[in-house]
Amino acid sequence: MRFLLIYPPTEPYFIQKTKARSFYGLSPPLSLLYIAKILENNGDAVTILDYSTKIFNEQTFFKMIDVADAIGMTIISPSLNEVKKIIELIKRHSPDIPIIIGGPHCTLRPKETLEETGAQISVQGDGEVVIQDITKALKGEKALTDIHGITFQTPQGIKCNPLAPIISNLDTIPFPARHLLKHSIYGREYNPLLKAGEFTAVITSRGCPYHCRFCSRSSITMQQYRIRSNDNIIAELNEIKEQGYRHVAFVDDCFPIYKKQTIKLFETLKNEGLDLNYSVTATRVDMADQELYKKMRRAGVTHLQFGLESGNQDVLDFYDKKTTIKMIQRAVHLSHETGFFTIGSFIFGAPFETKEQFQQTLSFAKSLPLDSVSFLPLRYMVGSDLWNEAVAEEKITEKEYIVLADKQRELGQYSAEELLKFCMNAQYSFYARPTFFIHLLKKSLHNNDMSFMKSFLSTVFSTMK
């Protein structure tokens, strides 16, 4: 069979016909690349459209549909509205082509997603095994009613099958089919000079053992945390090197978790001499360790990104971060001293949080040796504890999957517009300091590595897109 797999845009901007500029994605969609590899191993042909890297063109889109036997699409909650538009176009052009959806949003709301999008089949949980059974069903070799892990349309209505078992041994999953997106540009937030085929990502685990109240990852991964072996990770990184990549991002929900295993991993990577650069897109301050950081830096890690969230202990406790202000200070300083480009993200908008507390967080951020920051409004995300509580209290409805901490909804102290303005002003205030630019220049010169300055400029310009 011929499959067209689509990574949809998360913003309406990307699905316009009039824009004529080049785009690059933050990171390739590993979920689709894993599915693509399974399909290719079974003899199927696969094409991937990643709309984080290109502009939607209706004529080209229809041509690709015309040569496909089935469409697959991953859905995250922020992309749901754009997915609806894409599926509407598909149905108008080719009403009989099967449409299969999966991804985080489908795992959280399988029946509702089918109802809202009109797709035929929704996959919950790990898709690598399920997609093989779905392919058999499309070929008439198996009944959809016999496939665990899916919800599907029938003439009598939507039917929900039992969940499929999770893949307990992640080492059994073939490596992603990266060649399908080798022509796309990713990672310029880390280095603006990266070209197509030079940046990719790996994931060494699935799930997260923590339960921050604003996050839905635990629900998406069914409260399960699984890790790959070092041997399996190293084998994939060797393949990545052979494919010509230069920079690799570890995109786990949280990395690392186990100190001893991670130290051994980076010791081996150093000894292997792969000559790759690495970024860590999500790490915790309570994982900071001098020995570990030194091993990571020597192996080629250049960037660490922390979810810091707040400079107020009561806000950290409300989010159930299980971190302290002192932990944050220690981790960020250790990251800086080790030589990493250190990124921190903060959240404004806890229900009791005042503008004075926003200012305290901003002042706290300025006191840290951070090389890049983001200040984001609190969002009540479907599947998170905060979202579940707000639904139970009837402050939001079950059909509202992402809601800003808005005073009018009794979710915060300020309106959504005020909250967004606080975030934008904080971002500007942080970067507008001459002392910040001097700090970053000194760091670049000290490390004899101007990529830090390039990363800063790339990050700033990416926020202006």
Side-chain angles (χ1 to χ4, degrees):
M1 294 188 68
R2 297 166 298 180
F3 284 85
L4 174 61
L5 304 183
I6 301 170
Y7 188 81
T10 57
E11 303 175 47
Y13 179 81
F14 288 100
I15 196 162
Q16 296 178 12
K17 307 173 191 175
T18 57
K19 301 290 183 180
R21 55 178 290 188
S22 298
F23 288 102
Y24 55 87
L26 178 62
S27 179
L30 287 180
S31 58
L32 290 184
L33 295 177
Y34 272 115
I35 296 298
K37 186 66 170 184
I38 296 293
L39 292 169
E40 288 187 334
N41 285 352
N42 289 340
D44 297 304
V46 183
T47 301
I48 295 182
L49 278 175
D50 179 3
Y51 282 118
S52 75
T53 66
K54 62 180 63 187
I55 293 189
F56 181 85
N57 179 283
E58 189 172 287
Q59 186 176 5
T60 301
F61 184 60
F62 288 155
K63 286 181 179 179
M64 299 187 82
I65 293 173
D66 288 339
V67 295
D69 299 311
I71 308 290
M73 202 176 310
T74 189
I75 305 179
I76 57 175
S77 299
S79 70
L80 180 61
N81 288 333
E82 300 312 306
V83 168
K84 293 177 186 178
K85 297 176 188 176
I86 292 174
I87 290 180
E88 183 181 344
L89 285 174
I90 295 171
K91 286 180 169 292
R92 190 193 318 153
H93 183 75
S94 300
D96 297 327
I97 194 167
I99 301 174
I100 308 152
I101 56 176
H105 192 79
C106 296
T107 295
L108 292 172
R109 315 294 286 182
K111 184 173 184 290
E112 294 85 350
T113 311
L114 278 188
E115 290 173 341
E116 294 180 51
T117 63
Q120 280 75 41
I121 304 169
S122 175
V123 177
Q124 295 82 60
D126 297 328
E128 287 85 357
V129 174
V130 177
I131 192 62
Q132 299 177 68
D133 288 332
I134 292 175
T135 302
K136 292 177 182 178
L138 295 177
K139 294 177 180 178
E141 300 171 0
K142 190 164 189 170
L144 290 176
T145 52
D146 296 331
I147 303 175
H148 285 195
I150 67 169
T151 300
F152 60 98
Q153 305 270 9
T154 75
Q156 293 75 38
I158 293 175
K159 177 174 174 53
C160 301
N161 285 355
L163 292 174
I166 64 168
I167 301 173
S168 57
N169 183 1
L170 299 182
D171 288 2
T172 62
I173 304 174
F175 300 150
R178 291 185 172 85
H179 65 277
L180 294 174
L181 290 175
K182 200 76 164 62
H183 59 281
S184 298
I185 299 173
Y186 298 97
R188 283 191 173 171
E189 277 80 0
Y190 301 104
N191 185 338
L193 301 181
L194 285 170
K195 300 175 183 176
E198 292 186 336
F199 180 96
T200 189
V202 297
I203 186 164
T204 71
S205 63
R206 293 191 181 185
C208 179
Y210 296 91
H211 302 280
C212 301
R213 297 180 68 215
F214 53 77
C215 182
S216 59
R217 297 308 302 180
S218 292
S219 298
I220 291 167
T221 54
M222 303 177 187
Q223 315 297 327
Q224 299 290 326
Y225 179 69
R226 298 158 284 162
I227 61 172
R228 296 166 58 189
S229 70
N230 279 356
D231 287 345
N232 187 249
I233 298 165
I234 291 164
E236 182 175 359
L237 289 170
N238 272 289
E239 179 180 277
I240 285 171
K241 176 65 176 178
E242 292 171 0
Q243 292 171 339
Y245 291 97
R246 295 172 47 208
H247 197 120
V248 181
F250 290 94
V251 294
D252 302 52
D253 293 329
C254 184
F255 179 88
I257 295 295
Y258 300 118
K259 174 186 169 183
K260 289 183 179 180
Q261 178 181 346
T262 309
I263 285 176
K264 290 180 181 178
L265 171 65
F266 284 103
E267 284 178 342
T268 305
L269 290 178
K270 172 65 175 174
N271 294 334
E272 291 270 332
L274 293 184
D275 192 28
L276 291 168
N277 286 330
Y278 306 96
S279 300
V280 177
T281 63
T283 192
R284 287 177 55 91
V285 297
D286 50 1
M287 295 292 106
D289 178 84
Q290 187 175 45
E291 179 188 9
L292 172 61
Y293 278 11
K294 285 182 178 179
K295 299 287 186 183
M296 293 170 67
R297 185 68 177 128
R298 289 169 184 164
V301 176
T302 59
H303 293 64
L304 284 189
Q305 182 163 347
F306 294 97
L308 304 177
E309 320 316 353
S310 181
N312 301 276
Q313 189 60 52
D314 56 347
V315 176
L316 294 175
D317 294 341
F318 172 76
Y319 291 144
D320 200 21
K321 283 290 293 186
K322 295 182 168 42
T323 59
T324 65
I325 298 298
K326 287 186 177 180
M327 285 181 184
I328 293 173
Q329 291 170 326
R330 176 183 175 275
V332 174
H333 279 279
L334 182 58
S335 176
H336 169 70
E337 291 163 7
T338 307
F340 296 125
F341 185 91
T342 307
I343 306 166
S345 61
F346 297 90
I347 299 174
F348 285 173
F352 55 84
E353 197 172 6
T354 64
K355 62 182 179 181
E356 288 76 20
Q357 288 175 296
F358 296 162
Q359 183 59 48
Q360 170 59 29
T361 292
L362 174 58
S363 298
F364 180 60
K366 290 179 178 179
S367 75
L368 299 171
L370 290 166
D371 304 308
S372 179
V373 297
S374 59
F375 295 91
L376 304 169
L378 174 63
R379 299 187 301 174
Y380 286 67
M381 294 284 295
V382 60
S384 69
D385 288 348
L386 289 181
W387 185 87
N388 290 331
E389 292 166 11
V391 169
E393 294 169 359
E394 299 184 346
K395 294 179 179 178
I396 59 178
T397 70
E398 290 188 349
K399 292 290 187 180
E400 296 178 289
Y401 303 127
I402 305 174
V403 180
L404 285 179
D406 191 340
K407 180 180 180 179
Q408 297 177 2
R409 311 295 295 273
E410 299 182 13
L411 299 174
Q413 297 293 311
Y414 304 97
S415 68
E417 292 77 14
E418 289 173 320
L419 191 57
L420 289 168
K421 187 174 181 179
F422 282 132
C423 291
M424 292 175 62
N425 288 343
Q427 195 93 355
Y428 176 80
S429 179
F430 183 90
Y431 285 124
R433 298 170 295 147
T435 53
F436 170 75
F437 188 82
I438 293 170
H439 147 78
L440 198 56
L441 181 60
K442 284 182 177 179
K443 183 169 187 175
S444 299
L445 293 173
H446 175 75
N447 288 279
N448 193 28
D449 187 354
M450 294 306 291
S451 65
F452 294 122
M453 188 62 70
K454 293 173 183 174
S455 288
F456 161 67
L457 294 173
S458 185
T459 300
V460 170
F461 286 124
S462 71
T463 64
M464 297 169 61
K465 288 195 301 182

